Amino acid sequence: QVRLQESGPGLVKPSQTLSLTCTVSGGSISSASYYWSWIRQPAGKGLEWIGRIYTSGSISYNPSLKSRVTISFDTSKNQFSLKLSSVTAADTAVYYCARGVAGTYFDYWGQGTLVTVSS
Amino acid sequence: DIQMTQSPSTLSASVGDRVTITCRASQSISTWLAWYQQKPGKAPKLLIYKASSLESGVPSRFSGSGSGTEFTLTISSLQPDDFATYYCQQYDSYSWTFGQGTKVEIK
């Protein structure tokens, strides 16, 4: 059974960089069949796809966040990471990591982690 | 970006009701659409992919249809466990997008 678990600080100051890690268990992050994504959800609102990374190293970002987002792999730890720079209160949300099947829909999700941007 | 618009935003229904949620895309996405169910405090759960394919383990009362720009999620007989928020997601384009969600409430 594949499991994803987000980790990282729950509180980030404005203008700083938000950093989260997703640890994958029960399957290899290097599998050719899957993309690995970050998705966020502000309280009481809908879902916003942030970006994805493929085992080949191919990366795609949401155009609205592209200038501030970096997603990377650490295959030795079976992890992938998110960095979001210059955060503001508008970046306060529950952040999810998820597995995308062949670059399509998401079949496995982490439980989510709340990140609050506040001084 | 392809915009996804769901209707209604909120739906009040009773156990046993047939429920239909609509998702419209701003341009054709063929059948590259998924549906998710989300309960409070939980991650979304995949229900339907490729517009009409039922994910393994999902009850058969859930079904999806449509192609191009108009899609529907139908629950044939609403059960107590089905009260939740439902999202559609397109994966046709470079940038993936979700609908704004439809909350199914108890009438």
Side-chain angles (χ1 to χ4, degrees), chain B residues 19-65:
Chain B
V19 166
T20 299
I21 298 168
T22 298
C23 179
R24 289 186 173 87
S26 59
Q27 64 189 69
S28 178
I29 58 170
S30 183
T31 55
W32 301 121
L33 184 102
W35 289 97
Y36 301 87
Q37 176 194 68
Q38 187 180 34
K39 296 182 178 179
K42 300 293 187 181
K45 172 189 173 184
L46 177 66
L47 300 175
I48 301 284
Y49 61 94
K50 207 163 183 290
S52 60
S53 296
L54 191 68
E55 172 70 349
S56 176
V58 173
S60 59
R61 62 181 179 274
F62 290 93
S63 64
S65 64

Side-chain angles (χ1 to χ4, degrees), chain A residues 35 37 39 41 45-49 52 59-63 66 96 100 103-107 109-111, chain B residues 1 32 34 36 38 41-46 48-50 55 87 89 91 93-100:
Chain A
Y35 287 68
S37 275
I39 296 149
Q41 184 173 38
K45 297 188 177 180
L47 300 159
E48 179 180 35
W49 172 73
R52 65 178 175 263
I59 301 172
S60 301
Y61 298 130
N62 185 323
K66 186 175 182 178
Y96 295 100
T104 58
Y105 51 89
F106 305 107
D107 61 345
W109 296 64
Q111 65 185 28
Chain B
D1 281 5
W32 301 121
Y36 301 87
Q38 187 180 34
K42 300 293 187 181
K45 172 189 173 184
L46 177 66
I48 301 284
Y49 61 94
K50 207 163 183 290
E55 172 70 349
Y87 293 93
Q89 176 232 336
Y91 47 90
S93 71
Y94 168 90
S95 182
W96 299 335
T97 47
F98 293 87
Q100 82 278 17

Side-chain angles (χ1 to χ4, degrees), chain A residues 70-94:
Chain A
T70 303
I71 295 177
S72 60
F73 268 139
D74 186 339
T75 54
S76 65
K77 296 181 179 178
N78 223 35
Q79 295 175 335
F80 64 105
S81 298
L82 168 70
K83 292 188 185 300
L84 181 66
S85 64
S86 305
V87 297
T88 69
D91 296 309
T92 294
V94 173

Side-chain angles (χ1 to χ4, degrees), chain A residues 11 16 40 48-49 52 55 68 74 96 98 103 113:
Chain A
L11 180 64
Q16 294 191 343
R40 69 180 183 179
E48 179 180 35
W49 172 73
R52 65 178 175 263
T55 185
R68 297 193 292 131
D74 186 339
Y96 295 100
T113 188

Side-chain angles (χ1 to χ4, degrees), chain B residues 60-74:
Chain B
S60 59
R61 62 181 179 274
F62 290 93
S63 64
S65 64
S67 65
T69 61
E70 188 153 336
F71 302 85
T72 59
L73 173 70
T74 299

